[in-house]
Amino acid sequence: MGAPIDPDPKINRYAHPERVVTTQWLADHADDPSVVIAESDEDVLLYETGHIPGAVKIDWHADLNDQITRDYVDAEGFARLMSAKGITRDTTIIFYGDNFNWWAAYALWVCSLFGHADVRLLDGGRQRWVAEGRPMTTDATHRTPTEYPLTPRDDVTIRAFKEDVLAHISHGPLVDVRSPGEYSGELMHMADYPQEGALRGGHIPTARSVPWRRAAQDDGTFRPLDELQAIYLEEQGLTQDDDVIAYCRIGERSSHTWFVLTHLLGLSRVRNYDGSWVEWGNAVRVPIERPDPIA
Amino acid sequence: MQFVYQSSVPTRSREPADMLTPALQEIVEDFQMSPREMRLQMLLDYSRGLPALPARFADAHDTLERVEECQTPFFVAVEVVDGHVHLFFDAPPEAPTTRGYAGILAAGLDGAMVDEVLEISPDFALKMGLGELVSPLRLRGMSAILARIKRQVVLHTHGATG
């Protein structure tokens, strides 16, 4: 029913090769009727400057988030979005985007909350597609709206809330994927994003620092399986059955790491704490660890 | 519609809540009257219409001020000639949202009087409905561009008047 798995050797060594495709695979399958390509970017205008032919745009801010409550869209909102993008429940959705696929991974993760079965990331994202000189267009994509069923959002299996994280301290691994400066508390925000700040700096007690960027290569693609194993399994000591929670600042960089741990390394229980540091660092009376208290 | 600034024309008195140049006011109203999809397209048009950096700045790039608050390399230069402010931007094409904002500032402020630029209320982008387009969090980063422009205008003005 869905599109075939990419036979690429690097992809096939991952735990779930059905979750990643190469640019070549996408070029070969872009017209497959079971495939819909979706672009999700940090810069909400980037799609309009040129996108992969036939790709639809999914705006992380306007499409996936509720516009009043800090939460994702509900079942009706998700079905409406999928329908408008011409996606059926059986569609193979290939996500790609700018900035190392942060928001593509985030959009994929949100679709996974609603149990959309066949979601995949384009390895290397927009950066690699463009670097290879593959076609881009500003032509508008028109897809026929579909009947997408109402499906409940599962907020338990791959999503963690602040209360879950509190209960998780000292019980399971927490992975802080922010930059070292954010982890140590020297930076109150990500470099270059001063507006997404918090009142307190530091990290959640017991969290280990594994910046998201370590999982990626300079061309935007994921590191091969053996290198990911060396980082997360050997160096960090994570195991297949660990109950892991990843967090960053607003949940997009940790979506990237969630994807790596879940789909590339095959860990069985990984949750993304989307409230992340913008919630934790502003919350009253939650524990915070800082290596060196300010003198 | 055209708005010409002449040094003989004094700064018009405006309502405190409406501290915009007529050109910027018109842009704001255009955005306010347009539905979301249209606003996106308009922002994209301003991104495309951002004038290229003149050679005298491109050849001396370190005279530009980097806006550190922007996630992508973004540079601005300000000149004040006979009391008129001129703006120059260098913003990468892969950051069209920020380029669009720069394009709006260029169209709305270039040639304005010093006082007019200093009076621009920084929340004009919110009034335009840009917050619904680019997330309120990112929008605040844009205000850093305006703040740096104003600071440069003050520096240049003091330099000129001794």
Side-chain angles (χ1 to χ4, degrees):
Chain A
M1 200 118 87
I5 293 175
D6 189 334
D8 178 83
K10 175 193 156 191
I11 302 284
N12 268 269
R13 279 191 282 274
Y14 291 136
H16 293 285
E18 75 279 13
R19 295 299 183 188
V20 203
V21 300
T22 57
T23 49
Q24 185 58 50
W25 184 97
L26 185 57
D28 295 339
H29 292 83
D31 298 326
D32 187 326
S34 64
V35 168
V36 171
I37 309 168
E39 176 162 344
S40 286
D41 294 319
E42 161 91 45
D43 191 304
V44 297
L45 271 181
L46 196 54
Y47 170 91
E48 281 78 5
T49 68
H51 52 80
I52 295 178
V56 297
K57 173 185 180 179
I58 294 183
D59 184 326
W60 68 272
H61 165 58
D63 290 335
L64 298 176
N65 279 270
D66 186 272
Q67 294 303 299
I68 307 294
T69 308
R70 186 179 171 193
D71 199 0
Y72 299 105
V73 292
D74 58 13
E76 287 78 15
F78 185 72
R80 205 179 309 126
L81 173 67
M82 293 293 105
S83 168
K85 302 298 176 185
I87 293 169
T88 73
R89 195 69 176 159
D90 297 324
T91 297
T92 299
I93 312 176
I94 311 291
F95 289 97
Y96 77 101
D98 64 353
N99 222 349
F100 289 86
N101 272 336
W102 284 0
W103 297 102
Y106 179 90
L108 182 150
W109 175 76
V110 172
C111 287
S112 302
L113 293 176
F114 290 95
H116 191 97
D118 195 350
V119 287
R120 312 184 192 187
L121 269 189
L122 175 66
D123 197 21
R126 182 180 168 106
Q127 175 188 348
R128 187 166 170 82
W129 183 273
V130 170
E132 291 174 343
R134 296 184 185 274
M136 299 287 277
T137 183
T138 53
D139 293 347
T141 298
H142 298 289
R143 297 189 56 83
T144 309
T146 58
E147 293 288 327
Y148 195 94
L150 289 182
T151 51
R153 195 180 69 206
D154 176 355
D155 282 341
V156 175
T157 310
I158 60 170
R159 186 180 187 192
F161 294 96
K162 178 167 129 260
E163 296 71 25
D164 302 321
V165 177
L166 267 174
H168 202 69
I169 296 172
S170 302
H171 290 95
L174 280 159
V175 179
D176 185 320
V177 314
R178 298 173 301 161
S179 61
E182 292 171 274
Y183 177 82
S184 70
E186 291 162 44
L187 288 176
M188 300 290 277
H189 54 76
M190 177 164 46
D192 302 340
Y193 292 78
Q195 64 277 34
E196 291 172 12
L199 292 172
R200 289 291 185 268
H203 56 264
I204 300 172
T206 75
R208 60 196 77 194
S209 170
V210 193
W212 69 273
R213 182 65 174 78
R214 297 188 63 191
Q217 310 187 99
D218 287 345
D219 66 355
T221 58
F222 291 113
R223 288 188 183 282
L225 179 66
D226 56 337
E227 294 180 22
L228 294 176
Q229 287 172 330
I231 295 167
Y232 295 96
L233 307 187
E234 290 157 35
E235 179 194 306
Q236 295 298 323
L238 297 177
T239 65
Q240 293 295 325
D241 298 322
D242 271 337
D243 183 355
V244 182
I245 296 178
Y247 71 93
C248 59
R249 176 184 44 103
I250 56 171
E252 87 289 25
R253 288 177 289 176
S254 46
S255 296
H256 188 273
T257 296
W258 168 85
F259 184 89
V260 169
L261 295 177
T262 301
H263 293 316
L264 304 186
L265 287 167
L267 270 62
S268 53
R269 177 148 173 81
V270 183
R271 285 176 285 170
N272 181 21
Y273 170 37
D274 56 278
S276 275
W277 198 257
V278 165
E279 178 177 46
W280 197 273
N282 287 313
V284 175
R285 284 215 306 201
V286 296
I288 289 177
E289 207 164 71
R290 278 185 74 133
D292 293 306
I294 301 163
Chain B
M1 298 278 275
Q2 61 173 352
F3 298 91
V4 179
Y5 293 91
Q6 295 173 344
S7 53
S8 59
V9 179
T11 303
R12 290 193 297 138
S13 65
R14 278 158 284 153
E15 295 299 313
D18 186 26
M19 293 296 189
L20 300 177
T21 63
L24 191 55
Q25 181 65 36
E26 191 186 22
I27 295 171
V28 168
E29 286 169 10
D30 283 349
F31 271 77
Q32 285 172 339
M33 286 186 297
S34 305
R36 185 178 182 281
E37 280 308 308
M38 183 81 81
R39 289 202 302 273
L40 267 182
Q41 188 57 48
M42 291 159 68
L43 190 59
L44 188 61
D45 290 343
Y46 279 106
S47 164
R48 290 181 174 137
L50 180 66
L53 197 62
R56 67 180 188 279
F57 288 112
D59 295 341
H61 207 271
D62 51 1
T63 60
L64 296 157
E65 177 177 358
R66 177 163 186 176
V67 181
E68 302 288 349
E69 292 86 350
C70 288
Q71 50 152 338
T72 40
F74 185 96
F75 301 86
V76 61
V78 174
E79 281 181 347
V80 179
V81 179
D82 297 334
H84 293 272
V85 175
H86 299 284
L87 304 174
F88 306 94
F89 298 98
D90 184 19
E94 57 281 9
T97 300
T98 318
R99 270 186 73 87
Y101 181 77
I104 288 168
L105 292 181
L109 295 185
D110 193 70
M113 303 301 293
V114 164
D115 287 351
E116 291 181 305
V117 173
L118 296 180
E119 282 177 4
I120 298 297
S121 58
D123 64 344
F124 81 89
L126 275 176
K127 289 186 196 153
M128 298 172 71
L130 288 188
E132 295 161 44
L133 301 184
V134 302
S135 117
L137 291 170
R138 309 278 168 188
L139 192 62
R140 276 188 254 161
M142 292 179 172
S143 68
I145 298 171
L146 183 60
R148 283 173 185 262
I149 287 171
K150 288 185 178 182
R151 194 180 62 84
Q152 281 207 34
V153 166
V154 170
L155 286 174
H156 284 290
T157 309
H158 281 272
T161 57

